[in-house]
Amino acid sequence: EPEVTQTPSHQVTQMGQEVILRCVPISNHLYFYWYRQILGQKVEFLVSFYNNEISEKSEIFDDQFSVERPDGSNFTLKIRSTKLEDSAMYFCASRRGRNEQFFGPGTRLTVL
Amino acid sequence: GESVGLHLPTLSVQEGDNSIINCAYSNSASDYFIWYKQESGKGPQFIIDIRSNMDKRQGQRVTVLLNKTVKHLSLQIAATQPGDSAVYFCAESLAGGTSYGKLTFGQGTILTVHP
């Protein structure tokens, strides 16, 4: 069964460093999303991406964040200068059409 | 606005009992609702969805009920099993515009099933 994959599973970085979180969505899906979940809290929307551009972004998704689909298969989330409060689980999700979103297993980002 | 808390509601049941998990959603314009199950260290896993033109939908051992009048969603799990132990989130989505597909998640409920 096709699934969304994410790498790495755990990323530890120093405050101020850049990180890139990687996702491979399900191959025939057209809509892509990043969400984050701070420990013990609910999942929060960050950004949606369709047709090679951002469809919508949340207040969390400030200028330090960017997304890219560089090669038609990968979907990346870049945080330019990480802050302590960026520590969270980051989930990628994809959707084909008017139906369910499939989530990846997540990347745990720890900012020290 | 939505509340965010560190203390999730909990539900403890015995194996074989039926479970009911409730959720209040925030946006009356939402037309698509989903229940997700999240096990420790994993991503949300789709359970069942329902569109706003329905008030009930059944899956395998699960039923979702939607009451648009009071903006309430519930998930019923029949014959709950220890493997059902997880955090359950409801999520809502808008029909169209730039928000199409964006999921807004509820707070979550911890379900613990005792053998």
Side-chain angles (χ1 to χ4, degrees):
Chain A
E1 185 174 326
E3 57 184 18
V4 177
T5 60
Q6 290 184 244
T7 54
S9 57
H10 190 190
Q11 174 85 51
V12 181
T13 190
Q14 295 290 326
M15 188 170 57
Q17 294 297 303
E18 174 183 288
V19 295
I20 298 176
L21 310 182
R22 303 181 190 278
C23 168
V24 179
I26 295 173
S27 62
N28 62 352
H29 284 192
L30 303 174
Y31 302 83
F32 313 107
Y33 305 86
W34 282 101
Y35 294 82
R36 80 169 186 190
Q37 185 178 33
I38 294 171
L39 184 64
Q41 298 188 17
K42 62 182 179 179
V43 177
E44 301 174 286
F45 169 81
L46 290 178
V47 65
S48 58
F49 191 86
Y50 170 71
N51 200 24
N52 283 322
E53 61 183 22
I54 291 174
S55 306
E56 185 175 2
K57 56 186 180 181
S58 71
E59 293 176 353
I60 303 167
F61 195 90
D62 61 22
D63 292 344
Q64 294 301 311
F65 290 85
S66 62
V67 290
E68 200 175 40
R69 188 157 162 80
D71 56 12
S73 63
N74 291 284
F75 180 50
T76 62
L77 174 69
K78 181 192 291 186
I79 310 175
R80 263 180 275 281
S81 178
T82 50
K83 304 186 286 289
L84 294 176
E85 54 265 38
D86 293 328
S87 294
M89 283 289 289
Y90 287 81
F91 294 107
C92 173
S94 70
R95 176 172 67 88
R96 174 165 175 76
R98 193 177 168 82
N99 52 25
E100 67 189 81
Q101 289 184 32
F102 292 86
F103 282 76
T107 293
R108 178 171 298 284
L109 177 64
T110 302
V111 182
L112 302 176
Chain B
E2 298 169 4
S3 62
V4 174
L6 295 176
H7 303 288
L8 300 181
T10 59
L11 175 64
S12 292
V13 300
Q14 291 295 127
E15 182 178 2
D17 287 352
N18 296 332
S19 302
I20 300 176
I21 300 171
N22 296 301
C23 174
Y25 64 91
S26 57
N27 191 341
S28 56
S30 294
D31 89 327
Y32 178 60
F33 305 90
I34 317 97
W35 281 99
Y36 282 94
K37 172 186 180 183
Q38 187 178 29
E39 296 172 290
S40 180
K42 297 184 179 180
Q45 178 187 356
F46 174 90
I47 301 172
I48 191 169
D49 59 3
I50 189 169
R51 301 204 177 273
S52 60
N53 59 352
M54 303 171 68
D55 53 20
K56 180 178 179 179
R57 189 165 187 226
Q58 287 184 292
Q60 186 177 15
R61 277 201 312 119
V62 294
T63 301
V64 55
L65 299 177
L66 174 63
N67 185 331
K68 295 183 288 294
T69 302
V70 295
K71 294 192 287 187
H72 184 266
L73 197 65
S74 68
L75 176 70
Q76 301 176 359
I77 305 174
T80 317
Q81 302 167 359
D84 294 328
S85 295
V87 180
Y88 288 80
F89 291 96
C90 65
E92 59 184 296
S93 181
L94 293 173
T98 57
S99 294
Y100 182 44
K102 165 193 169 184
L103 294 177
T104 300
F105 281 80
Q107 186 180 17
T109 296
I110 301 172
L111 174 66
T112 303
V113 182
H114 301 283

